[in-house]
Every structure is written in C-alpha cells, then in structure tokens.
C-alpha cells in the first residue's frame, strides 16, 4: 500500500515572490582581457578610478592573491557585477568574503545578493542575513529592504512580520523604490502593520514616482479599473507609458498592442510593433501572438504568413491557447508552414488545455472526417466529438450515438446533456434522462451528479429524494464536492428511514459495480 | 521514530485490557448460572458497548432472562428496547407493558419512564392525567427529572389545570440545584412573561446556566437572545457560535464541524511530523497511518485528503487500532472521502468503543440519533462479524 500526499509549501511560494522582487543578477559576457605582466597597484587604482574596469580587472588578480584586501574587494565587485569581464558568482563570493575576512567592510549587500540568488545551488539565507545585518548597521537602504524581505518570509532569520515591516519601512523612507512598492503591499494586506488603504496608496504613488515600474503597472491597473483610485483613463495611460519606458514587459505588450490597434491611443503601428518586439524578445507570449497577428494580417508590416507562423509558434510552445489554435489552423491549411496534420493536431490539443472550444470542434471534425483514424484517436477524442455535436452537427451526434451503443458511458453523458437541455438539437427530456442514467450507472461522476439533481427536482425523471440521495452519495464518494452539499440538503428534507434506504441502495450499487 | 509508533500500535491492537476481559467472562459465567444481577449487568454492558462489543440483540436476551426472574430494572430496559426496536422487533405495546410491570416495583425512575410513555402516547393512548399522577409519585420519591416534567404539564395545562405559579415553583428547586431542563424552562417563562413580569435579563441568566451544561435547546435559546439583543448586548457572532454548539450548523450552509477523535493514550497528532508519519505509514505502521490521516484532514480538509485519510484509517482499523476505527467511522458517517453509510460508520464506532477508546461511545450515540433502529441492528451484526474476523486473523 502506498499513500501519496500533495506537498503544499506556502513558504516556497513566498520565496519565489521574493526572488522575483530581488531580481536575478544578469551575467554579461565580455571578452576576457589578455593577462600580461601584472601592473602595479597604483596603475590598477588609476584604471578603477577612471572606470576602466577591464584594465582594472586584468591587473587585480595578482594583488588579490597576494592578500591585498582592497584588491580582493574590487575584483569580487567586478566579478559580481559583470564589470570589465564576465559575471562570475563563485569568484565574486570568494574574493568578497576574503576582503571581509580582512575587515575590509564593503560589498555586504552585493555579496548578500549573490547568496540570495545562488541558483542553481541552494541559496545561503543565513550568510546573506548576516551580511545584510552588517550593512544595515551602516545605514544602507537597500540592505534594510533585503533584510526586511528575509524577515517577511522567515528565511535565514526567524520570520517576524513586524520587524520585516520596520526594516522595509526604513528603506522606503530613505526613498528606495522597491521598498516603497513592498510597503504598499504590506499596508494593503495588513502585513506587519495595521491595514491602511490610504497609506498603501501613498506608498504606491511614491514608488511609481521613484521609478518602480511594478508600482507604475499597479497604478495603471488601479486607475483603469477604478480600484482603490478613481477611474481615470488618462492617468492610467500615463503610468502604462512610464512602465513600458522602464522596460516592464507586460506594459510593453499592453501599450504595444494599444498602439498597433489604435485602442485608447492614436494608432501608431511602428511604435506598437517596436514595443511588442521588445516584449516578445523577452519571451512574452502575448506579444509574440500579437506580432503573429500583425504579420498574418499585414498590420503595419508586409503580410507574411511564414513570419506570422514563427511568432505564433514561439507563443504556442509556451502554451498560449489563442496562439496554439491559430498555429493549428496554419498547419492544417499549410499557410506559412508546410501542411502537417500531426502538428495541427498537436497544437489544437495544446489549445484544448486552455479550454478552447474552437480547438475541440476542429479536433472533432478531424475525427469525424477520419483524418484522425480510430486507432490514432486519443481517449479524449470522444470529448471533442461531443463538443462538435453541441454545435448542432448531426453527424457528430450520430457518432456519439454509435459510441454510446458500443458501451462508452461518456458518450451517454454528453448525449444526456444534449437531449435534456436541447443543445444543438430539439430537447427530448426522456431521451436525455435515459442516456444520463446509463452514464451514471457506467461510473461517470458528472452524470451521477446530474442524476442527483434531476431526481431531486423531478427533471426528466420522477421526483424521488431517495434516488437523488443515492446518486449524490455515490458521486460524493467519487470525489464530488457539489454532491456532498446536495446530499446534506436532501437529508434535511428526508426521514431517517428514507436516508437509510438511500444509503442501502448506494451501497448495493457500488458493491454491484 | 518508526519503532516507537510500531511498539505503541502492538500494545493497543490487543484491544481489551486483561482485567476487563476477565470481568466480562466472569459476568457471562454467572449470568449463565442464572444469577439475576449478573444477567442484568451483562445486558447493560452489552447495551452500552463499553469494553465489550455493543450488541442490542444479546443485551435484549439477557434483559429478558433477568426480567423473567422479576428484575424491574431489566423489565424497564427491555421495554425501552421493544419501544425502539433495538435488538428485538419494534413492538411499542409490548414495550409499554414491560414499563408498566417495572413501574409496579415503585422505583421512581421506572414510574418516570411509564409516565413519559403516557405523556407521549408511546405503546398506549396518550393520557396526560395519568402521566401527571405518575410524575407526582416519582417526584415525591425525590426524582428531580419528574418534578420538572410535572412542571411542564402545569405550564401547558396538560392533564392538570394550567398553573404557571405551580410550574415555576416546581422548576425552581431543581433549577437552583443545577437541573438544566428546569433552568431552560424557567428561562422560557421569563421570556414569555407567563405569570411573571417579562424579564429578559433573568431569562438570559437561566438559559446561560443551562447552556453551560450543554443542553442543546438552551444553547439555541441563548443564541436567540444574543441575536436579538434581548437582555444582553446584541452579538451575532456569539449567537452563531451558540447555534453551532447546539448542532444546528448555520442556516447559510455552514457545515457542521467534523468531529475527529484523537486517542489520548497515544502521541498527539503533530502536523510537523508528516514526513515521518508518511514513511512509517507506508511501512505499514497503523499508529502512523492514523496520525497521518488525522493531520491531513485536520490541517487541510480537501476532498483528496479525505479520501487518502479514509484509506489510511481503514488500513489501521483493519489492523485493530481503535483510534483509526473511530475516525473511519466518523468519515463514513459524514460521507467524507468514503460513501456515506451510517451502518458502516456505526459499526466502526462500535468496534472503537469496544476497544476502550475514550469518547467513542458518546460520539457513537450522538450520531445514532440520525439512524433508524434497523440500521443500528444491522451495524451491531456487522460489527460482530468484523470483531470475530479480526480475532481470527490476530490469533
């Protein structure tokens, strides 16, 4: 026997949130300078002062290895910030630690960030917290913010929301924008401080003012929806533009699409395409889809099916439903790509995961036409045929009927809904009820729920609380929450004898299965 | 850690302590030898199912044996079984006849039960006047319960001339002495202002006294006072809490809280130990299975967790662990993670009670209120089969 439980880690979710706010240090790959005779410490100093980090880096190693603390610090700093050479996390950690060990008290925050973003190794929160605490003593605003974040999530230190608030607050008061955005969050949730919407708004505005593109985006949403702020399209647009200028990916996509279509702004396809390209280059699937649309329709660019397909594919491979549906169509029609039914089917299926009814209908058609032969049809094929049948396609309904006749209870379930509710055909209540009963007996939980509902209300079958309770109980045992509730409501209307009878029937049904 | 769980499980799987088992065996022997007192005691033990498997049918047999020898308590108890149809086919007339025979002994409790049958017309035509006479006799013998019931008749003018002053007088003594029903009824008189000045504050005082003893109707009444701000500051939250305690759930779909059972004889379930429990549970340790199931549904009551917990409890219950039996019973009763089946649920709570789990009997009897006597009888029979099967596998 083996029992499985789902791990639920709230801490993990919070951690991810923190990492998202701290931002990963992006490595920049630069050419390593040639190593020659080690220059004198004086000439390295001069290069550092002049901002010629490449030259400084080249000359520092020998001095760092000779144990000069300032050289160790500077080498670590350049490795950790990718200045004058490639990003080197381990090298940076090593030299910064070496300098600190010799009481060269600088670079605490940088080193702490290297520990916090220590992917793929496990981040070292404890060491990061120690370093941040040292930097906090020096009054460093950024350090207050990061240490506050650690107190908020309880990593490297004992979790303490109030302390987290206090530290983040200090950083916010010092004008550090990410901290100000965090304060807006904390005031609106009441985290570590009494909830206070006015304060939340004030900090959000401050953060936006100081260039936090997240805060600007948040204000964009709030002003355009009228949540927390009076609805104001002009102000919303202003913040959206600021956020997009600050490189906020979602802002670039939204603003880009607006310019492209001339929605809310004067149409400017060039500006729109430029913004969309920026977001698309960072992998934003919505922007990629918009670019696909621009090429497919020739909006602002020369019509180009091949380029359209390329953009759609980037988005579809990320699972974006709309893009997957269109790409499936392109593959089926051989537009911009070579006609390929297998690829079309693959992308339609991706679209069905996003509950695209159109994709289900397309797949249903392919089964109906025999393009997907019976031996290649996946188990979910019956769902697609049913969705197509609901559009009124008689051939699909006939196919469902044939499947039902060969003992597929799911086909009965969908026929039950179609005839009971008259979906795509005239309603035929007794016929619907008959199919639903077969499906319920065949073990389809949704059909068992439906039978409970129908028997309780006398819809299509005789009103019978005992039968209703029986089906609700069976569906509940099969994991239906709605059935648990229905069973409770029914029991309140029934006598103990009726409940006993219903339970006996449910038990007999399950034993006979 | 695993070894510790396992060791505790083994000592508990044996179920009955040797001392108790001996007593039952001795009782059985004496009962079979025809000793009336032993027959009655054995029947009582079988009816309650404490440290022995509850079995109304066998209880009825021994009550009948003792009743035939003239034991009034046995006649009275057997009468109650016939009225409800527990362990015997329901036969209210026969049950009433037995209550009547028992009342001939003149014992206050038996007079009271007969009076109640007359009052409610159980197995006989309702006869409130006769009920009043019998309640008065029992009351005169010092049975507070009967004094209160007589008060009810005076308050309603049933079988006697309506006399609120008399009713208040009858309630007062028992109420002062801590009788919950008397306290509640006095509270009602003050709310209605029947024969006294309406006095919400006095009513709240009496309802509170009765509610503190857990009387459901008093909890509800006190809740009504809070909800409307009668005689006390309005407090809807407190009202809701009281309604919940009274077992009414709440009108807007709030479900009644699931009553899980923790075995005080075992380590308390600890949410931080889930991983250790999981490892030991998969290795087949019943105590770990029970602890894991308990933690799962008490910390995250999702559908999936209920199903997992039901499987865990079932595995541990089959291994003979009373705490797992009780919780499987509760889940089955409520239909959480398993088919709702009162017979199965009662069966497992009966087995847990026989295993001496504290609290299991009370829980079993609370849940039994929703069952028919046929279901209880069927559950007794099913428990018997499971009990025998378990003993055979453990031997």
């Amino acid at each position: 026997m083996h029992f499985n439980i789902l791990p639920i880690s709230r801490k993990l979710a919070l951690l991810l949130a923190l990492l998202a706010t701290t931002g990963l240090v992006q490595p920049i790959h630069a050419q390593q300078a040639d190593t020659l005779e080690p220059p004198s410490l004086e000439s390295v100093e001069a290069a550092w002062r002049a901002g010629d980090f490449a030259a400084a880096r080249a000359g520092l190693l020998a001095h760092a290895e000779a144990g000069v603390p300032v050289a160790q610090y500077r080498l670590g700093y350049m490795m950790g910030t990718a200045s004058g050479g490639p990003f080197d996390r381990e090298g940076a950690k090593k030299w910064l630690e070496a300098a600190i060990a010799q009481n060269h008290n600088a670079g605490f925050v940088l080193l702490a960030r290297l520990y916090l973003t220590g992917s793929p190794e496990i981040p070292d929160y404890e060491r990061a917290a120690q370093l941040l605490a040292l930097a906090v003593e020096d009054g460093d605003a950024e350090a207050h913010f990061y240490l506050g974040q650690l107190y908020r999530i309880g990593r490297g230190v004992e979790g303490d929301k109030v302390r987290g608030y206090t530290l983040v607050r200090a950083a916010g008061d010092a004008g550090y924008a990410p901290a100000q955005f965090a304060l807006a969050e904390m005031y609106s949730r009441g985290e570590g401080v009494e909830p206070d919407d006015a304060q939340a708004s004030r900090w959000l505005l401050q953060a936006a003012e100081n260039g936090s593109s997240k805060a600007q985006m948040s204000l964009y949403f709030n002003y355009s929806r009228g949540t927390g702020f009076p609805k104001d399209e002009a102000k919303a647009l202003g913040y959206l533009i600021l956020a997009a200028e600050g490189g906020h990916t979602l802002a670039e996509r939204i603003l880009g699409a607006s310019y492209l279509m001339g929605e809310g702004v004067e149409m400017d396809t060039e500006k729109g395409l430029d913004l969309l390209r920026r977001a698309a280059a960072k992998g934003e699937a919505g922007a990629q889809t918009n670019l696909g649309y621009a090429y497919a329709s020739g909006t602002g660019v020369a019509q180009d099916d091949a380029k359209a397909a390329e953009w759609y594919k980037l988005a579809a491979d990320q699972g974006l439903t709309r893009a997957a549906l269109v790409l499936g169509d392109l593959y089926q029609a051989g537009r911009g790509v070579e006609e390929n039914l297998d690829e079309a089917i693959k992308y339609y299926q991706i679209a069905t995961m996003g509950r695209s009814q159109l994709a289900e209908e397309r797949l249903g058609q392919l089964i109906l036409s025999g393009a997907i032969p019976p031996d290649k049809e996946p188990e979910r094929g019956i769902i697609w045929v049913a969705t197509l049948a609901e559009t009124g396609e008689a051939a699909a309904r006939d196919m469902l009927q044939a499947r039902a006749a060969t003992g597929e209870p799911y086909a009965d379930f969908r026929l039950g809904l179609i005839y009971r509710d008259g979906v795509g055909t005239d309603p035929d209540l007794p016929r619907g009820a008959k199919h639903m009963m077969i499906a319920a007996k065949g073990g389809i939980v949704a059909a068992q729920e439906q039978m409970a509902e129908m028997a309780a209300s006398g819809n299509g079958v005789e009103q019978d609380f005992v039968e209703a309770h029986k089906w609700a109980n069976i569906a509940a045992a099969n994991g239906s929450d709605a059935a648990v509730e229905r069973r409770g409501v029914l029991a309140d209307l029934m006598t103990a004898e009726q409940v006993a009878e219903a339970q006996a029937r449910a038990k007999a049904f399950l034993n006979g299965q | 850690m695993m070894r510790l769980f396992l060791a505790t499980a083994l000592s508990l799987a044996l179920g009955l302590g040797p001392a108790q088992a001996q007593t039952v065996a001795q009782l059985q022997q004496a009962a079979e030898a025809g000793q009336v007192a032993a027959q009655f005691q054995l029947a009582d033990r079988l009816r309650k199912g404490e440290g022995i498997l509850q079995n109304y049918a066998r209880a009825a047999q021994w009550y009948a044996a003792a009743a035939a020898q003239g034991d009034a308590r046995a006649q009275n108890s057997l009468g109650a079984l016939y009225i409800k149809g527990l362990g015997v086919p329901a036969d209210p007339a026969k049950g009433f006849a037995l209550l009547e025979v028992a009342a001939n002994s003149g014992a206050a409790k038996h007079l009271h039960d007969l009076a109640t049958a007359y009052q409610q017309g159980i197995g006989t035509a309702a006869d409130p006047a006769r009920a009043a006479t019998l309640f008065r006799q029992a009351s005169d013998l010092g049975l507070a319960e009967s004094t209160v019931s007589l008060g009810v008749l005076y308050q309603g003018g049933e079988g006697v001339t309506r006399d609120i002053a008399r009713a208040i007088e009858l309630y007062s003594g028992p109420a002062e002495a801590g009788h919950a029903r008397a306290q509640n009824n006095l509270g009602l008189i003050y709310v209605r202002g029947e024969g006294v000045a309406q006095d919400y504050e006095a009513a709240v005082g009496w309802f509170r006294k009765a509610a503190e003893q857990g009387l459901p109707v008093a909890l509800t009444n006190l809740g009504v006072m809070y909800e409307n701000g009668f005689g006390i500051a309005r407090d809807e939250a407190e009202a809701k809490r009281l309604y919940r305690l009274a077992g009414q759930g709440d009108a807007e779909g709030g479900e009644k809280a699931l009553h899980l059972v923790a075995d005080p004889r075992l380590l308390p379930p600890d949410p931080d130990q889930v991983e250790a429990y999981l490892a030991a549970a998969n290795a087949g340790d019943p105590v770990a299975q029970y602890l894991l199931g308990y933690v799962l549904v008490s910390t995250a009551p999702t559908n999936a967790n209920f199903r997992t917990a039901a499987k865990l409890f079932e595995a541990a219950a089959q291994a003979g662990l009373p705490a797992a039996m009780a919780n499987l019973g509760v889940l089955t009763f409520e239909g959480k993670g398993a088919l709702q089946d009162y017979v199965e649920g009662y069966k497992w709570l009966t087995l847990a009670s026989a295993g001496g789990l504290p609290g299991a009997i009370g829980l079993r009897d609370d849940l039994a209120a929703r069952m028919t006597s046929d279901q209880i009888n069927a559950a007794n029979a099913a428990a018997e089969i499971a009990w025998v099967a378990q003993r055979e596998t453990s031997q």
Side-chain angles (χ1 to χ4, degrees):
Chain A
M1 177 164 345
H2 193 83
F3 300 104
N4 282 309
I5 55 166
L6 288 173
I8 310 155
S9 170
R10 214 148 46 82
K11 277 188 181 158
L12 182 65
L14 279 170
L15 170 62
L16 292 173
L18 173 77
L19 290 181
T21 58
T22 56
L24 291 161
V25 179
Q26 291 291 328
I28 298 169
H29 298 285
Q31 199 66 40
Q32 186 88 43
D34 292 340
T35 36
L36 301 166
E37 206 45 24
S40 70
L41 195 53
E42 289 71 26
S43 65
V44 170
E45 278 269 7
W48 166 274
R49 290 225 176 78
D52 183 356
F53 292 133
R57 194 192 269 222
L60 276 177
L61 187 61
H63 300 290
E65 278 174 347
V68 181
V70 69
Q72 292 170 338
Y73 162 68
R74 285 178 181 166
L75 184 58
Y77 176 88
M78 286 185 287
M79 286 174 162
T81 55
S83 319
F87 173 70
D88 179 351
R89 181 193 309 280
E90 291 315 308
K93 279 183 354 195
K94 175 179 144 194
W95 291 118
L96 289 172
E97 285 286 13
I100 289 168
Q102 297 199 62
N103 295 321
H104 187 88
N105 292 327
F108 294 139
V109 178
L110 171 62
L111 185 53
R113 285 181 57 168
L114 292 173
Y115 279 116
L116 283 179
T117 57
S119 132
E121 325 85 83
I122 299 160
D124 186 342
Y125 293 102
E126 276 73 22
R127 182 64 183 144
Q130 286 167 4
L131 291 162
L132 290 169
L134 290 171
V136 161
E137 278 176 29
D138 294 344
D140 186 293
E142 207 182 344
H144 277 85
F145 170 64
Y146 285 119
L147 189 59
Q149 297 286 72
L150 290 182
Y151 274 106
R152 285 177 75 188
I153 61 166
R155 287 284 174 137
V157 289
E158 183 117 353
D160 183 340
K161 302 278 190 209
V162 175
R163 189 127 183 221
Y165 162 78
T166 311
L167 284 159
V168 174
R169 174 68 195 244
D173 283 335
Y176 188 59
Q180 295 173 333
F181 180 67
L183 282 168
E185 274 182 351
M186 293 164 92
Y187 271 111
S188 86
R189 284 187 210 145
E191 184 196 317
V193 64
E194 279 298 301
D196 184 335
D197 286 342
Q199 285 289 327
S201 305
R202 184 172 80 82
W203 284 110
L204 195 57
L205 289 165
Q206 281 266 350
E209 185 85 2
N210 284 327
S212 161
S213 54
K214 271 195 214 158
Q216 291 158 351
M217 252 337 245
S218 175
L219 284 166
Y220 158 69
F221 284 121
N222 284 322
Y223 274 117
S224 55
R225 293 172 189 161
T227 48
F229 291 83
K231 200 172 155 98
D232 187 332
E233 298 286 353
K235 273 194 182 158
L237 181 62
Y239 281 113
L240 182 63
I241 290 170
L242 281 176
E245 281 169 357
H248 194 285
T249 309
L250 184 60
E252 290 168 341
R253 193 254 280 176
I254 294 174
L255 187 60
S258 304
Y259 277 123
L260 189 70
M261 309 307 289
E263 280 168 6
V265 290
E266 200 164 321
M267 194 193 291
D268 185 337
T269 48
E270 203 163 310
K271 230 180 198 174
L273 289 169
D274 179 54
L275 282 161
L276 288 172
R277 283 206 178 89
R278 278 196 244 164
K282 287 182 271 181
E284 214 284 325
Q288 292 166 342
T289 307
N290 290 340
L291 284 170
Y293 167 80
Y295 280 107
S297 61
T299 307
V301 289
Q303 203 278 343
D304 186 335
D305 281 342
K307 278 202 172 137
E310 272 172 37
W311 283 117
Y312 279 127
K313 187 164 186 313
L314 285 171
D317 285 339
Q318 295 188 58
L320 196 77
T321 305
R322 274 179 303 146
L325 175 66
V326 177
L327 187 60
D329 286 345
L330 294 179
Y331 272 115
Q332 206 185 340
R335 264 186 60 193
V337 285
E338 209 156 306
E339 188 182 323
N340 186 331
L341 191 60
D342 288 340
E343 287 293 296
I345 291 167
K346 178 181 125 188
Y347 283 105
Y348 285 145
Q349 290 207 52
I350 290 174
T352 62
M353 287 172 204
R355 299 180 180 242
S356 163
Q357 199 170 321
L358 287 171
E360 289 194 358
E361 289 170 20
R362 306 268 211 284
L363 287 161
Q365 286 287 6
L366 291 173
I367 290 173
L368 208 58
S369 69
I372 299 177
D375 59 317
K376 289 234 176 102
E377 182 187 322
E379 214 173 304
R380 286 179 304 138
I382 187 99
I383 297 175
W384 307 332
V385 175
T387 302
L388 184 60
E390 283 173 357
T391 66
E393 176 76 59
R397 213 162 51 230
D398 292 344
M399 184 176 255
L400 271 190
Q401 199 76 54
R403 299 273 175 101
T406 58
E408 273 192 63
Y410 184 81
D412 281 298
F413 168 58
R414 297 293 291 260
L415 283 167
L417 291 176
I418 285 170
Y419 284 113
R420 189 193 67 185
D421 303 336
V423 186
T425 183
D426 292 331
D428 183 341
L429 208 47
R431 188 170 181 181
K434 199 189 79 190
H435 282 296
M436 198 59 86
M437 178 63 100
I438 295 170
K441 286 183 175 165
I444 306 292
V445 180
Q448 292 163 351
E449 287 176 350
Q450 294 291 338
M451 282 313 300
E453 190 272 323
M454 290 161 75
S457 58
N459 179 20
V461 293
E462 204 175 317
Q463 186 176 44
D464 183 343
F465 284 177
V466 174
E467 275 296 293
H469 189 286
K470 175 187 95 175
W471 285 118
N473 198 7
I474 292 167
N478 286 325
S480 159
D481 279 328
V484 170
E485 207 174 320
R486 183 178 297 284
R487 185 183 60 197
V489 172
L490 284 165
D492 286 345
L493 304 171
M494 294 163 70
T495 64
E497 283 75 17
Q498 287 175 319
V499 173
E501 171 65 19
Q503 289 183 355
R505 285 191 205 172
K507 194 175 182 172
F509 172 81
L510 287 186
N511 287 340
Q513 244 189 353
Chain B
M1 187 58 93
M2 235 175 77
R3 188 176 295 161
L4 177 66
F5 294 143
L6 209 52
T8 345
L10 284 176
S11 68
L12 276 166
L14 299 173
L16 298 179
Q20 227 170 7
Q22 209 177 15
T23 318
V24 171
Q26 283 172 342
L27 271 181
Q28 180 94 25
Q29 214 172 17
E32 273 161 15
Q35 290 181 27
V36 176
Q39 290 171 341
F40 173 74
Q41 272 184 46
L42 182 58
D44 241 22
R45 292 281 288 274
L46 283 162
R47 176 174 62 82
K48 289 179 192 149
E50 191 171 4
I52 189 173
L53 198 66
Q54 184 196 53
N55 192 314
Y56 281 117
R58 287 175 55 215
Q61 284 165 13
W62 286 116
Y63 278 138
Q69 296 196 61
D71 187 296
R73 290 173 306 169
Q75 290 158 347
N76 173 274
S77 297
L78 186 60
L81 293 185
Y82 271 109
I83 285 169
K84 291 176 194 149
L86 288 170
V88 288
D91 187 342
K94 189 166 180 181
F96 174 79
L98 281 158
L99 292 188
E100 204 165 27
V101 176
N104 285 337
S105 69
K109 192 192 160 294
H110 303 335
L111 289 168
H112 178 87
D113 287 346
L114 184 62
T116 304
Y118 273 119
Q119 186 194 2
Q120 298 175 4
I122 296 168
T124 184
D127 185 345
R130 179 88 184 112
T133 307
L134 288 163
F135 278 138
R136 190 172 294 112
Q137 285 178 22
S139 173
D140 289 346
L141 289 168
L143 190 66
E145 194 64 33
S146 296
T147 313
V148 176
S149 290
L150 187 58
V152 172
L153 294 183
Y154 274 107
Q155 191 183 347
E158 293 175 71
V160 290
T161 311
R162 190 158 184 264
D163 185 343
I164 299 296
R166 187 76 212 282
I168 292 173
E169 194 186 308
L170 286 164
Y171 291 150
S172 295
E176 297 290 350
H179 192 285
R181 199 157 58 95
Q183 292 165 341
N184 177 70
N185 292 357
L186 263 186
L188 273 181
I189 284 178
Y190 280 112
V191 166
R192 294 177 184 154
E194 284 178 304
V196 291
Q198 191 177 52
D199 183 344
Y200 284 154
E201 277 172 38
V204 166
W206 285 117
F207 287 150
R208 190 186 302 286
K209 281 197 165 80
E212 277 164 4
Q213 301 187 57
L215 188 71
V217 65
L219 286 161
T220 304
N221 288 338
L222 186 58
V224 172
M225 303 304 273
Y226 269 108
E227 190 174 352
N228 295 289
F230 290 159
I232 194 157
R234 208 175 119 98
D235 185 342
E236 283 190 42
E238 178 64 6
K240 274 199 179 143
R241 191 185 71 87
L242 289 163
Y243 292 151
R244 250 198 319 281
L245 281 175
Q248 294 194 334
D250 103 40
E252 282 96 65
E255 263 193 67
K256 272 182 274 179
L258 197 69
H259 197 307
L260 291 179
V261 186
D263 191 334
R265 302 167 301 182
L266 295 171
L267 292 169
D270 178 357
D272 291 336
Q273 293 289 323
V274 164
E275 275 158 41
Y277 293 161
L278 185 60
N282 280 324
D285 174 11
V287 174
Q289 289 165 348
Y290 141 69
L291 290 168
L292 180 58
Y294 189 101
V295 168
L296 278 184
V297 295
S298 53
T299 56
T302 64
N303 226 322
N305 280 350
F306 275 123
R307 285 154 79 90
T308 307
K311 285 195 197 111
L312 285 162
F313 290 146
E314 167 127 43
Q318 297 291 2
L321 188 71
M325 294 171 174
N327 287 307
L328 178 59
V330 170
L331 291 191
T332 310
F333 230 100
E334 302 301 347
K336 297 280 193 180
L339 187 74
Q340 185 184 60
D341 185 342
Y342 294 166
V343 175
E344 273 296 293
Y346 192 96
K347 176 189 97 176
W348 286 116
L349 282 162
T350 301
L351 287 162
S353 304
L357 180 68
I361 291 181
L363 189 56
R364 181 199 68 197
D365 291 347
D366 282 350
L367 294 170
R370 288 189 242 165
M371 296 171 72
T372 65
S373 44
D374 283 349
Q375 282 182 309
I376 293 173
N377 292 332
N380 273 177
E384 196 78 40
I385 292 167
W387 179 259
V388 170
Q390 211 153 57
R391 301 211 131 181
E392 276 167 3
T393 47
S394 66
Q395 270 161 16

